[in-house]
Amino acid sequence: GDVERGETGSGGRRVIGRVVGGRPGPMLICIGGVHGNEPAGVIALKRVFRALDGREGALRGEFLGLAGNVTALERRCRYVDRDLNRHWLADHVEALRRGGGEGWTTEDREQRELLSELEAAFARARGAVHVVDLHTTSGVGPPFATLSDTLRNRAFGRSFPIPIVLGLEEQLEGTMLDYLNNLGHVTLGIEGGAHDAPESVDRLEAAVWVALGAAKLVRRRALPECRRARRALREAARGIPPVFEVRYRHAVGPDDFFRMNPGYLNFQPLARGEVLAQCRTGEVRAPDGGRILMPLYQELGDDGFFLVREIAPVWLTLSAILRRLRVDRLAPRLPGVRRHPEIPDAVVVDRRLARWFTVEIFHLLGYRREFVSDDGLVMSRRRFDLAPPRRRRG
């Protein structure tokens, strides 16, 4: 095996580092700096690759580190023309794949280059592929993980001794992990803490070491860094319940003049009706009780805050049992529920009857993405919940 290290920057390489282990095995791809004002993930990855130099024999498979929005990282801004993490819709990706660059934004070029690196990695993968997206937030708080709700993602996420937040990916349109998850890869987002806090780099570095063990590129006891990383993450998240789900997203636009009230921390408890922010129309109040997540304390961004609530781990166990028994196939047979005629893995629920079949029941079965249409409440579930797609032969 060998270690390759590249530099990010103008005219430089997008590859932060690459380690090919001494034996075949799975692939782990970690990406930092998808938002240019979040350099902590890039710094953390450089640390890990330096530490692995000369120790490739301890790994199997391939470990790849990539920088996301290189131009924005250089300028230390979230993005130049548009958010790189909101345009990974299949149609847009295909247009980038076919296009020649005329009329492209800075982020279009960044996305096309990042896509090329990812597709080259997928093509040479000889085992399972795990992708970890490293982020930080404008608010202060403990580290946590976000994942698209498949049992495969859950199994990977449970290896990290930090809170897991379900349903966040389903609230956001066009994220990179959403696109990669729909290809059948195991995906996970890690939020390390505040953007410029030194401990955020430490936490993201620890998350990468844990990911190397969780993706089975190393035996957990083979590298002392993996053991230390688990202890560090566990301590950083001490006192926070293990699992949450998103109950509300407060979207903001450029004309809303949204200003978050100071002092809110990730996972801070909230009371219903509490005044959280100010905007053009007046006070912004919490629509329900729970805990706040990712309060917006930066100029750019279209997510004002999220409200999350704790889930008892027993519900995840029940959910896994129901899904393995494929009880989700019975959902379209419920009264007032039918298959969506065009969207695979989706159902349409009559809104007059939906109150009898609460959203929580559909969440148990994996139906987490939802929107209201003329026909009713549309709820869809993730593909590749239990198994990856079959590889083509030849």
Side-chain angles (χ1 to χ4, degrees), residues 122-162:
F122 299 153
R124 63 178 181 262
R126 293 295 176 264
V129 177
H130 295 70
V131 183
V132 177
D133 191 13
L134 303 171
H135 284 270
T136 51
T137 66
S138 62
V140 176
F144 61 95
T146 66
L147 55 85
S148 301
D149 191 10
T150 70
L151 297 188
R152 295 166 64 225
N153 288 346
R154 281 191 199 174
F156 184 51
R158 279 200 303 268
S159 298
F160 296 76
I162 55 179

Side-chain angles (χ1 to χ4, degrees), residues 123-394:
R124 63 178 181 262
R126 293 295 176 264
V129 177
H130 295 70
V131 183
V132 177
D133 191 13
L134 303 171
H135 284 270
T136 51
T137 66
S138 62
V140 176
F144 61 95
T146 66
L147 55 85
S148 301
D149 191 10
T150 70
L151 297 188
R152 295 166 64 225
N153 288 346
R154 281 191 199 174
F156 184 51
R158 279 200 303 268
S159 298
F160 296 76
I162 55 179
I164 292 174
V165 178
L166 299 173
L168 186 66
E169 294 291 335
E170 282 75 12
Q171 294 279 339
L172 306 175
E173 195 74 19
T175 66
M176 179 182 65
L177 289 189
D178 185 56
Y179 173 76
L180 298 177
N181 193 82
N182 289 337
L183 296 180
H185 304 303
V186 175
T187 60
L188 188 73
I190 299 288
E191 299 283 355
H195 290 328
D196 296 319
E199 62 267 23
S200 297
V201 179
D202 298 336
R203 294 165 177 178
L204 291 179
E205 180 187 357
V208 174
W209 287 112
V210 173
L212 286 166
K216 297 182 169 54
L217 274 74
V218 299
R219 295 189 306 276
R220 290 189 178 180
R221 299 183 179 278
L223 297 175
E225 289 91 342
C226 295
R227 297 193 298 276
R228 290 198 295 266
R230 289 186 61 80
R231 289 196 296 270
L233 288 180
R234 186 178 294 111
E235 182 60 31
R238 183 181 297 278
I240 306 296
V243 189
F244 293 85
E245 70 172 354
V246 175
R247 302 298 294 172
Y248 173 77
R249 168 185 177 246
H250 187 83
V252 299
D255 298 327
D256 289 341
F257 302 106
F258 179 87
R259 290 293 180 271
M260 193 79 205
N261 289 349
Y264 282 102
L265 311 177
N266 283 324
F267 298 106
Q268 181 174 327
L270 297 176
R272 181 185 180 93
E274 185 172 339
V275 178
L276 304 178
Q278 311 294 321
C279 72
R280 179 173 51 84
T281 57
E283 295 177 336
V284 178
R285 295 178 177 270
D288 205 347
R291 297 187 186 224
I292 195 168
L293 193 69
M294 295 198 286
L296 183 66
Y297 289 116
Q298 60 190 22
E299 290 300 317
L300 293 178
D302 52 11
D303 307 312
F305 59 87
F306 296 86
L307 292 185
V308 299
R309 74 173 185 187
E310 183 182 352
I311 300 177
V314 66
W315 286 104
L316 295 190
T317 303
L318 175 60
S319 171
I321 293 171
L322 293 175
R323 293 195 208 179
R324 291 193 179 100
L325 293 174
R326 297 308 311 272
V327 174
D328 57 278
R329 289 180 294 186
L330 301 177
R333 299 184 184 181
L334 294 170
V337 182
R338 58 184 173 86
R339 294 188 188 279
H340 195 283
E342 298 175 358
I343 304 176
D345 301 302
V347 294
V348 182
V349 183
D350 187 322
R351 278 178 285 175
R352 293 170 298 178
L353 299 175
R355 59 198 176 105
W356 300 106
F357 305 106
T358 64
V359 169
E360 284 79 3
I361 297 297
F362 285 97
H363 284 181
L364 281 175
L365 301 179
Y367 292 89
R368 282 196 172 270
R369 189 182 288 276
E370 57 189 77
F371 65 90
V372 177
S373 72
D374 293 338
D375 296 329
L377 180 66
V378 179
M379 304 194 72
S380 61
R381 64 192 304 276
R382 297 279 180 179
R383 301 175 65 199
F384 313 120
D385 187 17
L386 300 169
R390 293 181 180 178
R391 282 184 172 269
R392 294 179 180 176
R393 294 183 178 180

